[in-house]
Amino acid sequence: MENVRNNLDKNYAHAISTLKNCSYDSENKIYLCDFEEEVYDFDVIKERYCERMRYKDMASMDSLIEVNKKNMLFLVEFKNKDSLPYKDIRAKIHDSLFIMENDFQVPREMFSMFELIVVYNPKKKQRTNLRGIREHFRELAGGEHDEIEHFQMFKDIYNIRSLKFSNVDFLDITLDVLIPTI
């Protein structure tokens, strides 16, 4: 975790933003999150890394949240779409982990300190009945949050948990758990 903190301080102070800014959907001109706490804009980190390495293009998650008290790093992606493009998000996760491994010197065996979070706009989701059924069964099973089955490979290989939240639920979780320490 110290490598991450040192690299953020040294090379990416200019990437500090807010969750609100990282959640902006420029196509529809809306924010998916109103939380003003500071986080790192991972798109800015990716752009700087690509520039330094002379890579043409990479994908990246929207934000990086460091939570020292839990010794965790959260990679967050905001999506304001009718359906979640899991294949595109997997590419963003892969490239973001590549940057964390190669630029921040986080060894793969330490990837378990990451959690992947996808935040979506439930107003865009058309299959509300199915979502309601899933939430009901999750509650019956005593589950807290929805893990993303499309990202099972990251759990199997790196022990990285992936969760999805509506933008409203994410705000509640953020206020309770993810308070950044920037």
Side-chain angles (χ1 to χ4, degrees):
M1 190 71 147
E2 195 170 319
N3 286 344
V4 174
R5 164 59 40 214
N6 291 339
N7 201 355
L8 288 169
D9 289 344
K10 181 180 175 186
N11 297 316
Y12 295 110
H14 69 286
I16 293 175
S17 185
T18 64
L19 266 176
K20 180 178 181 176
N21 288 338
C22 291
S23 77
Y24 187 66
D25 173 8
S26 59
E27 187 176 314
N28 295 300
K29 296 179 176 43
I30 66 164
Y31 295 93
L32 273 87
C33 175
D34 287 331
F35 201 49
E36 292 284 351
E37 286 295 318
E38 289 184 338
V39 298
Y40 289 92
D41 184 330
F42 209 81
D43 289 327
V44 173
I45 291 171
K46 177 235 357 176
E47 289 166 12
R48 177 79 173 264
Y49 180 73
C50 286
E51 185 180 292
R52 272 195 354 262
M53 299 305 293
R54 296 191 175 115
Y55 293 156
K56 278 201 182 256
D57 192 28
M58 292 179 78
S60 67
M61 299 291 276
D62 290 322
S63 64
L64 172 69
I65 303 171
E66 179 187 12
V67 182
N68 280 340
K69 65 182 175 185
K70 288 189 157 196
N71 207 27
M72 296 289 298
L73 294 166
F74 296 88
L75 290 167
V76 182
E77 179 66 21
F78 293 95
K79 286 294 173 198
N80 187 34
K81 303 208 178 274
D82 290 334
S83 63
L84 296 175
Y86 291 109
K87 184 178 178 182
D88 294 340
I89 297 171
R90 272 194 304 268
K92 290 177 177 223
I93 294 167
H94 179 270
D95 288 0
S96 296
L97 292 173
F98 178 87
I99 291 169
M100 294 306 296
E101 180 179 22
N102 291 288
D103 191 32
F104 289 82
Q105 289 80 45
V106 176
R108 289 182 185 199
E109 55 272 7
M110 295 293 294
F111 278 7
S112 61
M113 77 171 137
F114 289 102
E115 282 198 6
L116 309 169
I117 299 174
V118 176
V119 179
Y120 65 92
N121 182 353
K123 294 175 185 168
K124 287 285 202 173
K125 301 290 278 179
Q126 295 176 344
R127 296 169 58 184
T128 55
N129 290 341
L130 181 57
R131 188 178 73 241
I133 292 168
R134 284 183 179 162
E135 287 175 7
H136 175 72
F137 281 113
R138 178 177 41 83
E139 288 172 12
L140 288 175
E144 256 183 65
H145 308 292
D146 287 336
E147 283 211 48
I148 304 173
E149 62 276 1
H150 297 277
F151 303 150
Q152 183 65 36
M153 70 178 81
F154 296 107
K155 183 159 185 107
D156 292 346
I157 297 170
Y158 304 120
N159 198 27
I160 298 175
R161 200 165 76 141
S162 57
L163 304 169
K164 68 180 172 185
F165 299 99
S166 71
N167 55 341
V168 174
D169 290 342
F170 179 68
L171 182 58
D172 290 341
I173 297 297
T174 303
L175 291 172
D176 292 341
V177 178
L178 303 180
I179 303 299
T181 58
I182 296 175

